[in-house]
């Protein structure tokens, strides 16, 4: 199953110390975050990360970033 790709980053508010699970398959029903089951059978697994500070960030929507889970602008050249 191929990944769904967004044409732009997904802007989210992170809370310092919170654990997040970024969706790598693109099938999640909860946007940028893994919904716990949509990746089954895709060969993809979520990227787990802990926010180091409370801030607004851009998570990768195209799933092609070299800095997962953060947007690095790769969507501009796809």
């Amino acid at each position: 199953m191929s990944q769904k790709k967004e044409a732009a980053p997904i802007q989210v508010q992170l809370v310092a110390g919170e654990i997040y699970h970024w969706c790598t398959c693109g099938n999640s029903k909860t946007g940028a975050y893994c919904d716990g089951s949509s990746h089954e059978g895709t060969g993809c697994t979520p990227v787990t990360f802990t926010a180091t500070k409370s801030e607004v960030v851009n998570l990768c929507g195209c799933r092609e970033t070299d800095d997962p889970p953060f947007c690095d602008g790769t969507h501009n050249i796809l």
Side-chain angles (χ1 to χ4, degrees):
M1 178 178 268
S2 64
Q3 298 175 349
K4 291 181 185 174
K5 299 179 184 207
E6 300 291 328
I10 305 163
Q11 193 171 74
V12 297
Q13 172 70 51
L14 301 180
V15 177
E18 291 288 319
I19 298 171
Y20 297 92
H21 306 281
W22 175 63
C23 169
T24 60
C25 73
N27 296 326
S28 177
K29 294 169 185 60
T30 56
Y33 301 116
C34 179
D35 63 15
S37 63
S38 293
H39 63 273
E40 292 179 14
T42 66
C44 297
T45 56
V47 170
T48 300
F49 68 100
T50 303
T52 57
K53 60 183 176 177
S54 295
E55 63 182 333
V56 174
V57 299
N58 290 320
L59 298 183
C60 179
C62 72
R63 278 47 178 202
E64 298 292 331
T65 183
D66 286 330
D67 187 25
F70 305 103
C71 176
D72 66 359
T74 298
H75 62 277
N76 291 314
I77 59 171
L78 294 178

